[in-house]
Short mmCIF file of all heavy atoms in Angstrom, two decimals:
data_model
loop_
_atom_site.label_atom_id
_atom_site.label_comp_id
_atom_site.label_asym_id
_atom_site.label_seq_id
_atom_site.Cartn_x
_atom_site.Cartn_y
_atom_site.Cartn_z
N LYS A 1414 159.33 156.29 63.69
CA LYS A 1414 159.75 156.72 65.02
C LYS A 1414 161.19 157.27 65.01
O LYS A 1414 161.49 158.23 65.73
CB LYS A 1414 159.64 155.55 66.00
CG LYS A 1414 158.20 155.22 66.37
CD LYS A 1414 158.12 154.01 67.28
CE LYS A 1414 156.67 153.72 67.66
NZ LYS A 1414 156.54 152.51 68.50
N ILE A 1415 162.04 156.67 64.21
CA ILE A 1415 163.42 157.16 64.12
C ILE A 1415 163.43 158.63 63.67
O ILE A 1415 164.14 159.47 64.23
CB ILE A 1415 164.24 156.28 63.15
CG1 ILE A 1415 164.52 154.92 63.79
CG2 ILE A 1415 165.53 156.97 62.73
CD1 ILE A 1415 165.09 153.89 62.83
N TRP A 1416 162.61 158.96 62.67
CA TRP A 1416 162.62 160.32 62.14
C TRP A 1416 161.80 161.27 63.01
O TRP A 1416 162.10 162.48 63.06
CB TRP A 1416 162.13 160.32 60.69
CG TRP A 1416 163.07 159.54 59.84
CD1 TRP A 1416 162.84 158.33 59.24
CD2 TRP A 1416 164.43 159.86 59.54
NE1 TRP A 1416 163.97 157.89 58.59
CE2 TRP A 1416 164.97 158.82 58.75
CE3 TRP A 1416 165.27 160.94 59.86
CZ2 TRP A 1416 166.27 158.82 58.29
CZ3 TRP A 1416 166.57 160.94 59.40
CH2 TRP A 1416 167.06 159.90 58.62
N ARG A 1417 160.84 160.77 63.74
CA ARG A 1417 160.13 161.62 64.71
C ARG A 1417 161.06 162.02 65.84
O ARG A 1417 160.98 163.13 66.38
CB ARG A 1417 158.89 160.91 65.23
CG ARG A 1417 157.78 160.88 64.19
CD ARG A 1417 156.63 159.99 64.58
NE ARG A 1417 155.76 160.60 65.57
CZ ARG A 1417 154.54 160.14 65.86
NH1 ARG A 1417 154.06 159.07 65.22
NH2 ARG A 1417 153.80 160.72 66.77
N LEU A 1418 161.96 161.12 66.23
CA LEU A 1418 162.96 161.47 67.24
C LEU A 1418 163.86 162.61 66.75
O LEU A 1418 164.29 163.46 67.53
CB LEU A 1418 163.82 160.25 67.58
CG LEU A 1418 163.19 159.20 68.49
CD1 LEU A 1418 164.03 157.93 68.50
CD2 LEU A 1418 163.04 159.74 69.91
N ALA A 1419 164.13 162.63 65.44
CA ALA A 1419 164.95 163.71 64.88
C ALA A 1419 164.18 165.02 64.82
O ALA A 1419 164.78 166.09 64.86
CB ALA A 1419 165.43 163.33 63.49
N GLY A 1420 162.84 164.95 64.70
CA GLY A 1420 162.03 166.15 64.68
C GLY A 1420 161.32 166.45 63.38
O GLY A 1420 160.80 167.54 63.18
N VAL A 1421 161.24 165.47 62.47
CA VAL A 1421 160.55 165.67 61.19
C VAL A 1421 159.06 165.88 61.44
O VAL A 1421 158.44 165.20 62.27
CB VAL A 1421 160.79 164.47 60.26
CG1 VAL A 1421 159.87 164.50 59.05
CG2 VAL A 1421 162.25 164.44 59.82
N ASP A 1422 158.46 166.83 60.72
CA ASP A 1422 157.04 167.18 60.89
C ASP A 1422 156.12 166.49 59.89
O ASP A 1422 154.93 166.30 60.16
CB ASP A 1422 156.86 168.69 60.72
CG ASP A 1422 157.67 169.50 61.72
OD1 ASP A 1422 157.28 169.54 62.89
OD2 ASP A 1422 158.70 170.07 61.31
N GLN A 1423 156.65 166.17 58.71
CA GLN A 1423 155.84 165.62 57.62
C GLN A 1423 156.54 164.38 57.07
O GLN A 1423 157.73 164.45 56.77
CB GLN A 1423 155.68 166.64 56.49
CG GLN A 1423 155.25 168.04 56.95
CD GLN A 1423 155.34 169.07 55.84
OE1 GLN A 1423 155.14 168.76 54.66
NE2 GLN A 1423 155.65 170.31 56.19
N MET A 1424 155.79 163.27 56.90
CA MET A 1424 156.42 162.02 56.46
C MET A 1424 155.68 161.42 55.28
O MET A 1424 154.45 161.23 55.33
CB MET A 1424 156.43 161.01 57.60
CG MET A 1424 157.53 161.25 58.63
SD MET A 1424 159.18 160.92 58.00
CE MET A 1424 159.10 159.16 57.75
N HIS A 1425 156.40 161.08 54.23
CA HIS A 1425 155.80 160.43 53.07
C HIS A 1425 155.34 159.02 53.42
O HIS A 1425 156.02 158.28 54.13
CB HIS A 1425 156.81 160.36 51.92
CG HIS A 1425 156.89 161.62 51.13
ND1 HIS A 1425 156.64 161.67 49.78
CD2 HIS A 1425 157.18 162.89 51.50
CE1 HIS A 1425 156.78 162.92 49.35
NE2 HIS A 1425 157.11 163.67 50.38
N VAL A 1426 154.17 158.64 52.90
CA VAL A 1426 153.60 157.31 53.17
C VAL A 1426 153.08 156.61 51.91
O VAL A 1426 152.45 155.56 52.00
CB VAL A 1426 152.46 157.39 54.21
CG1 VAL A 1426 152.97 157.89 55.55
CG2 VAL A 1426 151.30 158.27 53.70
N ASN A 1427 153.33 157.15 50.71
CA ASN A 1427 152.68 156.69 49.48
C ASN A 1427 151.18 156.93 49.58
O ASN A 1427 150.74 157.74 50.38
CB ASN A 1427 153.02 155.23 49.17
CG ASN A 1427 154.36 155.10 48.48
OD1 ASN A 1427 154.80 156.01 47.77
ND2 ASN A 1427 155.03 153.98 48.68
N GLY A 1428 150.37 156.24 48.79
CA GLY A 1428 148.94 156.49 48.80
C GLY A 1428 148.17 155.28 48.34
O GLY A 1428 148.73 154.29 47.84
N ILE A 1429 146.85 155.33 48.50
CA ILE A 1429 145.97 154.26 48.04
C ILE A 1429 146.09 154.12 46.53
O ILE A 1429 146.11 155.11 45.80
CB ILE A 1429 144.51 154.56 48.43
CG1 ILE A 1429 144.36 154.61 49.97
CG2 ILE A 1429 143.55 153.54 47.82
CD1 ILE A 1429 144.62 153.31 50.67
N LYS A 1430 146.19 152.88 46.06
CA LYS A 1430 146.34 152.61 44.62
C LYS A 1430 147.46 153.49 44.03
O LYS A 1430 147.29 154.10 42.98
CB LYS A 1430 145.02 152.81 43.88
CG LYS A 1430 143.93 151.82 44.29
CD LYS A 1430 142.64 152.06 43.52
CE LYS A 1430 141.61 150.99 43.80
NZ LYS A 1430 141.23 150.88 45.23
N ASN A 1431 148.60 153.50 44.71
CA ASN A 1431 149.68 154.37 44.27
C ASN A 1431 150.47 153.74 43.12
O ASN A 1431 150.26 152.58 42.77
CB ASN A 1431 150.59 154.73 45.45
CG ASN A 1431 151.38 153.54 45.97
OD1 ASN A 1431 152.44 153.21 45.46
ND2 ASN A 1431 150.85 152.87 47.00
N LYS A 1432 151.39 154.51 42.57
CA LYS A 1432 152.12 154.06 41.37
C LYS A 1432 153.26 153.12 41.71
O LYS A 1432 153.88 152.54 40.81
CB LYS A 1432 152.65 155.27 40.60
CG LYS A 1432 153.78 156.03 41.30
CD LYS A 1432 154.25 157.21 40.45
CE LYS A 1432 155.40 157.95 41.11
NZ LYS A 1432 155.85 159.11 40.33
N PHE A 1433 153.57 152.96 43.00
CA PHE A 1433 154.66 152.11 43.40
C PHE A 1433 154.14 150.73 43.83
O PHE A 1433 152.96 150.43 43.69
CB PHE A 1433 155.47 152.77 44.52
CG PHE A 1433 156.15 154.04 44.08
CD1 PHE A 1433 156.06 155.21 44.83
CD2 PHE A 1433 156.89 154.08 42.90
CE1 PHE A 1433 156.69 156.38 44.42
CE2 PHE A 1433 157.53 155.24 42.49
CZ PHE A 1433 157.42 156.39 43.25
N TRP A 1434 155.01 149.92 44.40
CA TRP A 1434 154.68 148.52 44.71
C TRP A 1434 153.90 148.37 46.01
O TRP A 1434 153.26 147.35 46.23
CB TRP A 1434 155.98 147.71 44.83
CG TRP A 1434 156.80 148.21 45.98
CD1 TRP A 1434 157.69 149.24 45.97
CD2 TRP A 1434 156.74 147.74 47.33
NE1 TRP A 1434 158.21 149.45 47.23
CE2 TRP A 1434 157.64 148.54 48.08
CE3 TRP A 1434 156.04 146.73 47.97
CZ2 TRP A 1434 157.84 148.36 49.44
CZ3 TRP A 1434 156.24 146.55 49.32
CH2 TRP A 1434 157.14 147.35 50.05
N GLU A 1435 153.94 149.37 46.88
CA GLU A 1435 153.44 149.20 48.25
C GLU A 1435 151.92 148.97 48.27
O GLU A 1435 151.17 149.63 47.57
CB GLU A 1435 153.80 150.42 49.08
CG GLU A 1435 153.91 150.15 50.55
CD GLU A 1435 154.70 151.23 51.29
OE1 GLU A 1435 155.02 152.27 50.68
OE2 GLU A 1435 155.01 151.01 52.46
N SER A 1436 151.47 148.07 49.12
CA SER A 1436 150.06 147.70 49.18
C SER A 1436 149.25 148.78 49.89
O SER A 1436 149.77 149.56 50.68
CB SER A 1436 149.88 146.37 49.92
OG SER A 1436 150.13 146.53 51.31
N ASP A 1437 147.94 148.78 49.62
CA ASP A 1437 147.05 149.71 50.31
C ASP A 1437 147.06 149.48 51.82
O ASP A 1437 147.01 150.43 52.60
CB ASP A 1437 145.62 149.57 49.77
CG ASP A 1437 145.47 150.10 48.35
OD1 ASP A 1437 146.42 150.73 47.84
OD2 ASP A 1437 144.40 149.87 47.75
N ASP A 1438 147.12 148.22 52.24
CA ASP A 1438 147.15 147.92 53.68
C ASP A 1438 148.39 148.54 54.33
O ASP A 1438 148.31 149.08 55.44
CB ASP A 1438 147.14 146.41 53.92
CG ASP A 1438 145.79 145.78 53.64
OD1 ASP A 1438 144.79 146.53 53.56
OD2 ASP A 1438 145.72 144.56 53.51
N ALA A 1439 149.54 148.45 53.65
CA ALA A 1439 150.76 149.03 54.20
C ALA A 1439 150.64 150.55 54.29
O ALA A 1439 151.10 151.16 55.27
CB ALA A 1439 151.96 148.65 53.33
N VAL A 1440 150.02 151.18 53.30
CA VAL A 1440 149.85 152.62 53.31
C VAL A 1440 148.95 153.05 54.46
O VAL A 1440 149.25 154.01 55.19
CB VAL A 1440 149.27 153.11 51.96
CG1 VAL A 1440 148.88 154.59 52.04
CG2 VAL A 1440 150.27 152.89 50.84
N VAL A 1441 147.86 152.32 54.67
CA VAL A 1441 146.95 152.64 55.77
C VAL A 1441 147.66 152.49 57.11
O VAL A 1441 147.52 153.33 58.02
CB VAL A 1441 145.70 151.74 55.72
CG1 VAL A 1441 144.86 151.88 56.99
CG2 VAL A 1441 144.85 152.09 54.50
N ARG A 1442 148.47 151.44 57.24
CA ARG A 1442 149.24 151.26 58.49
C ARG A 1442 150.20 152.42 58.70
O ARG A 1442 150.38 152.90 59.82
CB ARG A 1442 150.01 149.94 58.46
CG ARG A 1442 150.67 149.60 59.79
CD ARG A 1442 151.54 148.37 59.73
NE ARG A 1442 152.00 148.01 61.06
CZ ARG A 1442 153.10 147.33 61.32
NH1 ARG A 1442 153.89 146.93 60.32
NH2 ARG A 1442 153.46 147.06 62.56
N SER A 1443 150.82 152.90 57.63
CA SER A 1443 151.75 154.02 57.73
C SER A 1443 151.03 155.30 58.15
O SER A 1443 151.54 156.06 58.99
CB SER A 1443 152.47 154.23 56.40
OG SER A 1443 153.26 153.10 56.06
N ILE A 1444 149.87 155.56 57.58
CA ILE A 1444 149.09 156.74 57.96
C ILE A 1444 148.75 156.69 59.44
O ILE A 1444 148.93 157.67 60.18
CB ILE A 1444 147.82 156.86 57.10
CG1 ILE A 1444 148.18 157.18 55.65
CG2 ILE A 1444 146.87 157.92 57.67
CD1 ILE A 1444 147.02 157.10 54.68
N LYS A 1445 148.28 155.54 59.91
CA LYS A 1445 147.92 155.40 61.32
C LYS A 1445 149.14 155.51 62.22
O LYS A 1445 149.06 156.04 63.34
CB LYS A 1445 147.20 154.07 61.53
CG LYS A 1445 145.82 154.03 60.88
CD LYS A 1445 145.11 152.70 61.09
CE LYS A 1445 143.72 152.74 60.46
NZ LYS A 1445 143.00 151.44 60.61
N SER A 1446 150.30 155.07 61.74
CA SER A 1446 151.53 155.20 62.50
C SER A 1446 151.89 156.66 62.72
O SER A 1446 152.34 157.06 63.80
CB SER A 1446 152.67 154.47 61.79
OG SER A 1446 153.89 154.64 62.46
N CYS A 1447 151.69 157.48 61.69
CA CYS A 1447 151.97 158.91 61.81
C CYS A 1447 151.06 159.57 62.85
O CYS A 1447 151.46 160.53 63.51
CB CYS A 1447 151.80 159.61 60.47
SG CYS A 1447 153.09 159.26 59.26
N HIS A 1448 149.85 159.07 62.98
CA HIS A 1448 148.87 159.65 63.90
C HIS A 1448 149.02 159.14 65.33
O HIS A 1448 148.45 159.72 66.26
CB HIS A 1448 147.45 159.37 63.42
CG HIS A 1448 147.09 160.12 62.18
ND1 HIS A 1448 146.08 159.72 61.33
CD2 HIS A 1448 147.60 161.25 61.62
CE1 HIS A 1448 145.99 160.57 60.32
NE2 HIS A 1448 146.90 161.50 60.47
#
């Protein structure tokens, strides 16, 4: 929300079974947050 207020159009969210530490559940929540 902070960056949407600034006007960003595209936001990184990682991905399912991604190479970083973030869980799949967190990624799904981030995708839904963008929508």
